Amino acid sequence: MLITLTEAANRIKAANKILITSHVQPDGDAIGSTLATLLMLRALGKHAQVFIDDSVRKNLQALPHFEEIRRPVDGEKFDADLLLILDTSPDRIGNVRKLTDAPVLNVDHHVTNKNDSGDLYVEHEAAATCEIVYKLARELDAPISPDVATCLYTGLATDTGFFQFSNTRAETLAVASELIKCGVKPNFISEQMEKKSLAEVKGLAAALNSLEMFYDDKVAGMTIDYATAKTFDSTEGFIDEIRVIDTVDVAFLITERAPNLCRVSMRSKGVDVSQIANKLGGGGHIRAAGCTLKMPLTEAEKILVAAIGEAI
Ligand code: AMP
Ligand code: MN
Ligand code: MN
């Protein structure tokens, strides 16, 4: 059921033991929004815990209180009266779903979120879930400590490509401005987020070597095979290197994360790539979307290129 922000805040006010989670393959918005919410809810006297069912890339481990995040173990249960799912629909939280049967409160900004298994507050215009969590904090009268602000700013910055993408609105910058007043050091966050390991930079070089162009150079794609992909854990930012090609509308990156398991990222300047991702079982936003294809890399590429061809 769709609810309002005030209703979402009321659900939180009424709960005492809150399990907070977000999507697998967590990004800055997933980690930033869950950690910020954890700190706020604890400051309000709630018993709260973050569980994420995946590893977290090293850059994001620099966020304050990162060590509080737990990964569910097999058969584990968590005593909660609310399951708060941020930045995704409930189908992408992995085994966190098995930790509790508590009612779901889902807060998200993805157009592809059609969750109807609980209460959903979704704001498509919000640049990041962190932007919504900031508004929730105001509704809840929760204090925004420098640590909370740092987490929220990270989600805003990473989901907007550091305030460059089309989802950057006046409101986004107004929230960022408030967060800086609350103690954020923007350069600290930028420096942490841009760090790459040597293996990642070499992986980027290999990815660029695989560049292929399709449909009169309107589509650019890169692939990373398993042998290369297993040497590093993040491809953050790789796709942006080919999105910039002047003729390109749609850019894609396919990473073979395990044999027959391909992670697809897409970026666009016009075409709605969330529709393409949705058709292939994934989701996302108009200009940034993704999906997972359980098949060999060459087959995944064929299917993806055909699906993009239909859309452009
Ligand atoms: P990425 O390319 O990983 O940065 O993802 C871009 C956008 O697509 C993000 O908003 C993701 O949440 C979304 N997305 C990526 N992969 C999937 C997937 N397998 N299912 C649903 N949404 C996805
Ligand atoms: Mn996310
Ligand atoms: Mn997000």
Side-chain angles (χ1 to χ4, degrees):
M1 187 179 73
L2 287 175
I3 59 171
T4 64
L5 186 70
T6 308
E7 286 167 335
N10 287 338
R11 300 283 191 281
I12 291 172
K13 278 181 198 162
N16 285 310
K17 291 172 282 184
I18 304 172
L19 197 172
I20 307 160
T21 192
S22 187
H23 56 84
V24 292
Q25 287 148 1
D27 52 20
D29 196 24
I31 299 300
S33 62
T34 52
L35 278 179
T37 305
L38 174 80
L39 301 177
M40 270 164 22
L41 295 186
R42 285 191 181 161
L44 292 173
K46 311 274 184 197
H47 181 68
Q49 178 63 48
V50 176
F51 279 91
I52 306 255
D53 190 17
D54 211 340
S55 54
V56 176
R57 91 186 138 82
K58 214 172 159 207
N59 311 53
L60 296 171
Q61 297 185 14
L63 285 186
H65 299 271
F66 163 76
E67 67 288 348
E68 302 264 5
I69 298 179
R70 294 196 41 210
R71 194 172 175 169
V73 291
D74 258 356
E76 185 177 3
K77 292 282 168 202
F78 185 82
D79 178 25
D81 49 23
L82 186 68
L83 172 58
L84 178 52
I85 302 175
L86 301 173
D87 197 42
T88 182
S89 46
D91 54 334
R92 283 189 78 212
I93 63 172
N95 284 328
V96 173
R97 201 72 199 80
K98 297 181 186 160
L99 286 170
T100 175
D101 295 322
V104 168
L105 171 60
N106 190 187
V107 175
D108 191 14
H109 68 132
H110 287 89
V111 282
T112 47
N113 190 333
K114 304 276 185 253
N115 164 32
D116 51 15
S117 67
D119 292 327
L120 170 64
Y121 178 70
V122 62
E123 200 179 311
H124 301 155
E125 305 74 31
T129 299
C130 280
E131 197 177 305
I132 309 174
V133 171
Y134 174 83
K135 293 205 282 188
L136 257 181
R138 292 301 189 212
E139 284 272 340
L140 290 166
D141 257 327
I144 299 184
S145 65
D147 282 353
V148 169
T150 298
C151 292
L152 291 179
Y153 188 95
T154 299
L156 281 185
T158 53
D159 263 22
T160 58
F162 284 80
F163 309 104
Q164 294 182 66
F165 300 155
S166 59
N167 56 354
T168 310
R169 300 172 303 153
E171 210 176 329
T172 317
L173 292 174
V175 172
S177 165
E178 288 306 315
L179 293 173
I180 290 172
K181 287 179 205 159
C182 294
V184 168
K185 298 272 174 282
N187 63 307
F188 167 79
I189 297 168
S190 310
E191 284 156 19
Q192 294 305 321
M193 294 307 128
E194 74 184 8
K195 275 186 197 169
K196 280 189 177 16
S197 67
L198 177 59
E200 266 173 84
V201 173
K202 287 184 172 172
L204 173 60
L208 286 170
N209 256 324
S210 76
L211 173 66
E212 282 179 276
M213 304 298 294
F214 306 89
Y215 307 116
D216 295 327
D217 296 346
K218 289 205 224 13
V219 176
M222 299 191 292
T223 54
I224 304 176
D225 64 17
Y226 177 56
T228 310
K230 70 180 178 192
T231 63
F232 54 95
D233 57 8
S234 171
T235 55
E236 190 68 29
F238 285 20
I239 195 168
D240 299 315
E241 301 295 331
I242 60 170
R243 182 181 52 86
V244 297
I245 299 171
D246 54 3
T247 57
V248 163
D249 184 354
V250 177
F252 70 81
L253 169 68
I254 313 178
T255 310
E256 193 178 18
R257 267 288 150 225
N260 295 331
L261 187 89
C262 295
R263 275 266 306 135
V264 175
S265 281
M266 284 182 279
R267 299 290 184 269
S268 123
K269 294 173 195 157
V271 171
D272 182 352
V273 283
S274 76
Q275 300 271 3
I276 303 171
N278 214 2
K279 273 190 198 153
L280 298 173
H285 308 282
I286 293 171
R287 291 193 159 85
C291 60
T292 301
L293 298 174
K294 291 179 181 158
M295 58 187 77
L297 187 55
T298 44
E299 199 180 318
E301 186 175 18
K302 251 185 230 154
I303 286 177
L304 181 66
V305 169
I308 294 172
E310 273 172 36
I312 62 172

